[in-house]
Amino acid sequence: MSPDADECLPKLDLRLTQENPEDLYEHAPCGYCSCLPDGTLVKLNATLLGWLGYAREELVARQALPQLLTVGGRLHFETHGIPLLLLYGQVHELSYSLRRKDGTAMPVLLSAVLVREVDGTPLVVRAMLFDITERRKYEQEMLRAKALAEERGAQLACANAQLIAQNEQLTRTIADLDGFVYTASHDLKQPIDNMMGLFEELKRTATFADPEAAGMLGMFGGAVQQLVGTIEGLAEVVQVQRQLEEVAVETVALQHLAEEVVRSLQPQASELGARFEFDFAAVPTLRMARPGVQSLLYNLLSNALRYAQPGRRPHVRVSTARAGMGTVLTVQDNGRGIDLERHRRHLFQLFRRFHPEVAGSGVGLYLVQRLVHQAGGRVEVDSTVGQGTAFHLHFPG
């Protein structure tokens, strides 16, 4: 080492090199003891005596090392520790509990070496003990945490199994309900059509003396038309669901499909002078069954025309954006708007309508939410009465 390096070292306090070996032994941070081959104690340091609560004369030549241990530890040391000492001459970190004078126990780790005579005869056992009270508390806390985690895991597994069973039951119930709705709407359609034909024939051929008859006939016709709309709405819900089950998910080009939907709405759009604006630059495609995407766009765009603000040219903007790992498809119009404070909870309920003065079935928004949920997404709505509405369809991935 160079002289310059010596100058960098801190000066040592010479008192640190003059430690008393006996003091080091007596007040070490661990317990020391020595005993004869039969276990009789011959020497203990002050640290160990302090742990045990005994005076030195109460133990030296009066008790054996195994007697300092609890019953279980004593049996283990005599049947396992001593044979290892005799065989290998040493043992390391055996976990025991010391039995204090007041009857309490103290967890320790015991390491020991066997010193032999020149001829190999055992002479003395030197043992060193470490207080592991805090370590044992930590281990017990870890065991409790593990047991609690296992219990919570079992509870979670049970809850998950119940949830799976309930979900399967719900899926079967929905399938049965869809089947019932489809059958009911199909079976009712023909009688309703017959009723409408008979009603039209009745208006054409019958005469009524009662001056109120015309009004009553109009009310009856309106009721029948409402019934027809309800049945057609039910049939549409089930039909869209069955189409999605039969068609695979694909990558749908939004620009082309949106233009196709607008062409199907051209008569209404031309009559109102509607203007459509598309911006799919951020996300040009969507992974979903094509009939589902078509139904989403058709229902939202047709609603934008149906609920246009009187005296205002409809302007409908359809766009996409990234949101984290997902996609947001937004359809925004400048129509009548919806009073969300009154109707937010019922916005997507089947057959709920918020502008009675405008003809409609109340099926469109229900279908929109159902299709988005089936794709693993959610729907958010912003709306101001008299200014317009924006539907934000959030899709994962």
Side-chain angles (χ1 to χ4, degrees):
M1 183 180 294
S2 67
D4 292 339
D6 289 338
E7 293 178 0
C8 295
L9 295 175
K11 293 182 179 181
L12 292 175
D13 188 337
L14 294 179
R15 289 175 297 175
L16 299 177
T17 65
Q18 298 171 0
E19 288 280 3
N20 184 343
E22 184 65 24
D23 184 67
L24 285 174
Y25 173 83
E26 287 294 337
H27 301 100
C30 58
Y32 286 113
C33 68
S34 300
C35 58
L36 300 178
D38 65 358
T40 302
L41 292 163
V42 294
K43 190 174 183 179
L44 300 90
N45 72 344
T47 301
L48 182 55
L49 289 169
W51 290 350
L52 295 169
Y54 285 100
R56 196 179 304 274
E57 58 271 16
E58 292 180 281
L59 298 178
V60 173
R62 292 179 179 274
Q63 291 198 38
L65 175 58
Q67 291 178 284
L68 301 181
L69 308 176
T70 56
V71 175
R74 185 185 313 165
L75 291 174
H76 183 273
F77 186 70
E78 291 175 345
T79 60
H80 181 75
I82 292 176
L84 285 178
L85 269 173
L86 293 172
L87 182 62
Y88 297 109
Q90 58 185 354
V91 291
H92 294 288
E93 296 188 346
L94 301 179
S95 180
Y96 296 124
S97 290
L98 290 178
R99 181 174 53 83
R100 294 189 177 104
K101 186 176 181 178
D102 62 6
T104 60
M106 173 182 174
V108 295
L109 286 180
L110 183 148
S111 296
V113 295
L114 175 63
V115 180
R116 296 177 182 272
E117 298 274 14
V118 176
D119 62 1
T121 303
L123 176 63
V124 67
V125 175
R126 294 172 179 165
M128 181 168 53
L129 301 100
F130 292 92
D131 179 4
I132 58 169
T133 302
E134 295 303 319
R135 170 176 164 177
R136 185 64 55 84
K137 289 180 181 178
Y138 172 76
E139 290 173 347
Q140 291 173 348
E141 191 64 33
M142 290 294 290
L143 289 174
R144 281 194 294 270
K146 180 183 177 183
L148 180 60
E150 290 175 348
E151 180 183 356
R152 295 285 175 82
Q155 293 174 350
L156 183 60
C158 181
N160 189 52
Q162 292 177 349
L163 185 61
I164 290 174
Q166 291 173 354
N167 187 56
E168 291 175 348
Q169 179 62 40
L170 181 60
T171 300
R172 289 192 295 268
T173 301
I174 291 174
D176 292 343
L177 182 59
D178 283 349
F180 168 77
V181 169
Y182 179 78
T183 301
S185 60
H186 181 271
D187 292 346
L188 288 173
K189 190 174 188 306
Q190 186 61 45
I192 292 298
D193 288 344
N194 293 339
M195 184 183 298
M196 283 296 297
L198 290 172
F199 179 67
E200 293 298 327
E201 183 64 20
L202 179 65
K203 289 196 300 181
R204 188 180 65 83
T205 60
T207 57
F208 300 93
D210 190 343
E212 297 183 358
M216 296 177 63
L217 287 174
M219 293 171 60
F220 181 80
V224 173
Q225 287 292 348
Q226 185 177 1
L227 183 59
V228 170
T230 298
I231 293 173
E232 290 178 348
L234 289 172
E236 181 183 359
V237 169
V238 179
Q239 183 178 3
V240 170
Q241 176 65 32
R242 293 192 171 187
Q243 285 179 346
L244 293 178
E245 293 173 354
E246 297 172 358
V247 179
V249 173
E250 61 179 291
T251 301
V252 180
L254 294 173
Q255 181 76 29
H256 177 74
L257 188 58
E259 292 173 351
E260 185 178 309
V261 170
V262 169
R263 283 195 294 272
S264 69
L265 296 170
Q266 199 57 46
Q268 303 97 299
S270 297
E271 182 180 348
L272 295 169
R275 181 167 64 93
F276 293 93
E277 178 185 353
F278 301 135
D279 181 6
F280 302 120
V283 187
T285 61
L286 193 64
R287 286 286 297 171
M288 190 174 172
R290 183 181 177 85
V293 184
Q294 186 172 23
S295 181
L296 287 175
L297 291 174
Y298 179 83
N299 279 291
L300 291 176
L301 296 183
S302 62
N303 275 0
L305 298 179
R306 183 179 294 114
Y307 299 105
Q309 179 71 13
R312 182 190 301 160
R313 180 186 177 190
H315 177 203
V316 185
R317 186 175 190 275
V318 187
S319 62
T320 54
R322 283 289 179 195
M325 298 297 292
T327 298
V328 181
L329 174 65
T330 298
V331 177
Q332 185 172 5
D333 64 51
N334 62 341
R336 298 171 184 244
I338 304 170
D339 187 347
L340 295 180
E341 289 188 7
R342 292 180 55 195
H343 303 303
R344 186 182 293 277
R345 289 186 305 166
H346 314 293
L347 196 58
F348 299 103
Q349 289 183 1
L350 188 61
F351 300 128
R352 289 303 295 264
R353 300 176 59 242
F354 310 107
H355 297 285
E357 71 278 9
V358 180
S361 63
V363 172
L365 292 185
Y366 170 83
L367 273 175
V368 167
Q369 187 188 53
R370 184 167 181 177
L371 290 169
V372 174
H373 281 184
Q374 285 179 332
R378 70 181 193 280
V379 182
E380 294 180 353
V381 183
D382 297 321
S383 188
T384 302
V385 175
Q387 296 184 23
T389 303
F391 291 90
H392 308 285
L393 315 184
H394 293 256
F395 296 94

